[in-house]
Amino acid sequence: MNKHVTVLEIDAKALLHNLNFFKKKLAENTKLLAVVKAFGYGSDGVEVAKIVKDQVDYFAVAYAQEGIALREAGIETPILVLHPQIPNLEAIVAHRLEPNLYNFKIFDAFLKLADERPLMNYPIHIKFNTGLNRLGFWHTDVPTLIAAIKQSNNVKVQSVFSHLAASEDPREQEFTVGQINNFAYIVKQLYTHLGYEPMIHILNTSGVVNYAKAQFDMVRVGIGLYGFANDPQETKHLKNTHNLKSIISQIHQVEPGETVGYNRAFVASRATRSATVPIGHADGISRRLGNKNGFVFINNKPAPIIGNVCMDMIMVDVTDIECKEGDEVVIFNHQQHVEYMAHKSETIPYEVLTAISQRVERVVKF
Ligand SMILES: *Cc1c(COP(=O)(O)O)cnc(C)c1O
């Protein structure tokens, strides 16, 4: 039984279903990289990796520490670290993680380390900026890069990649196609001068959905694995992976004119039954969901959040719901509910999922 009553259940079957949905969209030789950064989009990166490891070619994490956690859990799959920092390069090598080198500062630091060791053909990944303007070399850096790479036997470019800025937005199609063409042009130059042909990849989840022709050698699927395709038609085919649950700790009878919660934000206009649920903004429930902007399900009925969201609790209106203390509360168990919460919190499902704090226990359902 759960020690904590507030639990995030991770649905292993749903994860595998979603993985296969994307695999079916890929050409036979296209590899699949599963993005498990930020604790597997707020679930449990290590558990997700264990569930999908035999069916993916690569994992990606944002930071070295996340990759180390996977290695310490026994994951042997290649792991790309998307945003390494110079102080972490030694740890990256120690754990056989593969760094993305995105500017000359980190590139030079890694080559220096590789030469000193020396490392042999250590896999590195080179990222190019094609319009996101976040991380990556510029196309004008290609000649300098090639010269430096050719000088060293200690590193081998495993892949060359870029990242799309607006792959989910049909209004930005022209820009996105421009990014893809720009990337293809850079790759062509590299292939001509490097002497070998590293893997290339540019698509994230929405890229796979909207620009399938640009699969190249590999695609990087993140949010899709967790049930969201940034497109209602596609999301329909995906299964919900995150189920957030709690219980009713206490029920209060509130008389007309009395108030509930901090700042007395809810004022009862009728005799009201208020249920207190042990999950709050410190667990990832946005304060924007207070005052009836958000709701939970109790015995299959929607119960609006009344008053302000507290740090550790919410209060919900159960006047019209048959329920008692100890009953289960579903915070969300469907993508549509997460999308609604995201909308009401003025954000996107990515943030709703990753905001679920580490205080909430994770349990995998197989
Ligand atoms: C997070 C991330 C992804 C995954 O994007 P999704 O939209 O979640 O599929 C892919 N590539 C890079 C570089 C990323 O940072």
Side-chain angles (χ1 to χ4, degrees):
M1 281 307 291
N2 301 321
K3 295 183 293 300
H4 304 106
V5 291
T6 300
V7 168
L8 178 64
E9 285 180 4
I10 302 148
D11 187 332
K13 285 201 190 80
L15 274 167
L16 289 169
H17 168 90
N18 297 341
L19 179 67
N20 280 314
F21 175 79
F22 284 96
K23 274 195 155 175
K24 286 201 191 103
K25 289 183 181 284
L26 302 183
E28 205 183 333
N29 295 324
T30 307
K31 292 184 158 64
L32 193 140
L33 174 153
V35 183
V36 294
K37 62 192 178 189
F39 301 103
Y41 288 49
S43 60
D44 182 326
V46 165
E47 290 301 324
V48 171
K50 285 184 188 164
I51 292 162
V52 303
K53 70 176 165 38
D54 295 332
Q55 313 206 29
V56 304
D57 302 284
Y58 252 90
F59 285 117
V61 293
Y63 298 110
Q65 213 52 43
E66 300 175 313
I68 293 170
L70 296 184
R71 283 285 182 255
E72 286 177 344
I75 303 291
E76 291 295 319
T77 312
I79 300 170
L80 164 59
V81 181
L82 292 166
H83 197 174
Q85 307 289 336
I86 290 172
N88 305 125
L89 293 180
E90 304 244 355
I92 282 176
V93 170
H95 292 88
R96 293 170 291 119
L97 305 173
E98 303 181 10
N100 162 29
L101 305 178
Y102 46 88
N103 65 7
F104 281 113
K105 195 168 164 68
I106 194 158
F107 179 86
D108 291 344
F110 194 81
L111 256 70
K112 184 162 169 280
L113 176 79
D115 289 342
E116 279 167 8
R117 286 298 172 95
L119 303 171
M120 273 290 281
N121 287 330
Y122 197 92
I124 60 169
H125 300 258
I126 305 285
K127 187 172 198 178
F128 282 92
N129 174 30
T130 53
L132 183 58
N133 292 326
R134 190 173 72 170
L135 288 182
F137 287 99
W138 285 82
H139 66 96
T140 47
D141 295 327
V142 169
T144 320
L145 263 174
I146 289 172
I149 293 165
K150 281 186 134 175
Q151 259 189 10
S152 174
N153 290 326
N154 305 322
V155 295
K156 173 134 197 273
V157 183
Q158 187 75 8
S159 88
V160 175
F161 73 110
S162 188
H163 194 36
L164 297 173
S167 57
E168 74 283 12
D169 188 348
R171 291 166 305 180
E172 295 291 0
Q173 187 174 349
E174 199 181 319
F175 181 86
T176 305
V177 170
Q179 277 197 278
I180 294 167
N181 288 337
N182 190 356
F183 178 61
Y185 172 76
I186 292 167
V187 167
K188 200 170 163 208
Q189 277 184 295
L190 275 163
Y191 276 10
T192 307
H193 299 288
L194 200 58
Y196 59 97
E197 300 192 348
M199 284 196 298
I200 59 176
H201 46 110
I202 192 168
L203 300 183
N204 65 338
T205 297
S206 298
V208 176
V209 170
N210 297 324
Y211 301 92
K213 281 191 199 141
Q215 289 176 15
F216 299 114
D217 298 313
M218 185 158 79
V219 298
R220 306 186 302 270
V221 179
I223 196 79
L225 201 56
Y226 308 98
F228 296 83
N230 305 325
D231 172 336
Q233 287 312 314
E234 298 287 321
T235 296
K236 242 180 20 200
H237 300 296
L238 298 174
K239 293 201 168 145
N240 184 64
T241 56
H242 291 52
N243 295 301
L244 186 55
K245 290 181 182 177
S246 192
I247 61 153
I248 298 176
S249 290
Q250 193 174 9
I251 293 177
H252 286 280
Q253 183 66 39
V254 181
E255 298 308 324
E258 290 186 334
T259 64
V260 173
Y262 285 132
N263 314 103
R264 310 189 64 200
F266 174 80
V267 184
S269 57
R270 57 169 182 167
T272 300
R273 283 207 323 151
S274 166
T276 303
V277 183
I279 187 166
H281 62 73
D283 302 292
I285 305 298
S286 170
R287 274 188 95 250
R288 291 195 166 100
L289 296 173
N291 302 307
K292 299 195 176 168
N293 285 312
F295 63 92
V296 299
F297 281 103
I298 296 173
N299 296 331
N300 297 317
K301 295 220 173 78
I305 299 174
I306 52 177
N308 287 317
V309 171
C310 309
M311 183 183 292
D312 313 303
M313 286 163 252
I314 51 174
M315 280 72 88
V316 299
D317 188 340
V318 293
T319 310
D320 301 322
I321 302 175
E322 232 175 87
C323 61
K324 58 186 186 307
E325 291 170 351
D327 281 2
E328 183 176 271
V329 176
V330 172
I331 312 299
F332 61 73
N333 63 2
H334 195 278
Q335 295 103 308
Q336 271 174 9
H337 198 170
V338 175
E339 278 162 359
Y340 182 83
M341 286 172 72
H343 171 69
K344 287 291 183 179
S345 314
E346 294 174 51
T347 185
I348 52 178
Y350 293 73
E351 188 179 349
V352 174
L353 299 184
T354 57
I356 304 165
S357 78
Q358 291 299 302
R359 184 165 76 173
V360 175
E361 187 186 4
R362 270 67 171 168
V363 175
V364 182
K365 295 277 164 184
F366 290 96

